[in-house]
Amino acid sequence: MIKDLPENIVEDIAIAVALEKESVETKIWYVYLINLKGVPIENVLVTSKGYGEKDGEQVKTSTLRHMFPIVESNSFVLIEPIDEATFGLNNEYWLSYYIGKEIYDKKFIFLPESIVELNFIKLPVVNKPGVMIR
């Protein structure tokens, strides 16, 4: 049962949307998992989906699942490319991972219109401009 699971708190882990390349015609965006911990995380599972309202209609994207055997300490992995057309939706990333025998999980949600230049920072470890949730 869910009440039997330990309340492990996710710290020093981030999901970030980075502006990878920009040209006159297009922008290329990627989503990264950033491990800011001093230890690796293992058996990492990330599910992603978008949902919300667009042009007065309820919209849902496909749910994608990504598995990474290990994400080293102070490093990052590319989760997926993301289309700018989904920035008006809630973009949800649900992360689960292990440290030793302990399981951790957390849901990260980029709210509609939050992936904008006004919110850009220089992403740690990735060293690219983007928006990050910790």
Side-chain angles (χ1 to χ4, degrees), residues 24-65:
V24 177
E25 307 88 37
T26 187
K27 293 180 180 178
I28 297 173
W29 301 85
Y30 288 148
V31 181
Y32 292 98
L33 167 63
I34 305 172
N35 180 6
L36 299 167
K37 293 180 165 300
V39 297
I41 58 176
E42 299 176 322
N43 298 320
V44 180
L45 176 65
V46 180
T47 61
S48 64
K49 66 181 178 181
Y51 56 89
E53 191 173 304
K54 189 166 186 166
D55 301 326
E57 300 281 325
Q58 286 298 315
V59 177
K60 284 185 182 181
T61 67
S62 299
T63 299
L64 302 175
R65 291 169 183 81

Side-chain angles (χ1 to χ4, degrees), residues 10-16 32-42 44 70-77 95 97-99 124-126 132 134:
V10 173
E11 295 177 317
D12 300 325
I13 298 288
I15 301 286
Y32 292 98
L33 167 63
I34 305 172
N35 180 6
L36 299 167
K37 293 180 165 300
V39 297
I41 58 176
E42 299 176 322
V44 180
I70 190 164
V71 180
E72 295 295 339
S73 65
N74 295 304
S75 69
F76 63 92
V77 292
L95 167 70
Y97 63 90
Y98 283 86
I99 297 177
V125 186
V126 180
M132 181 174 81
R134 283 180 91 163

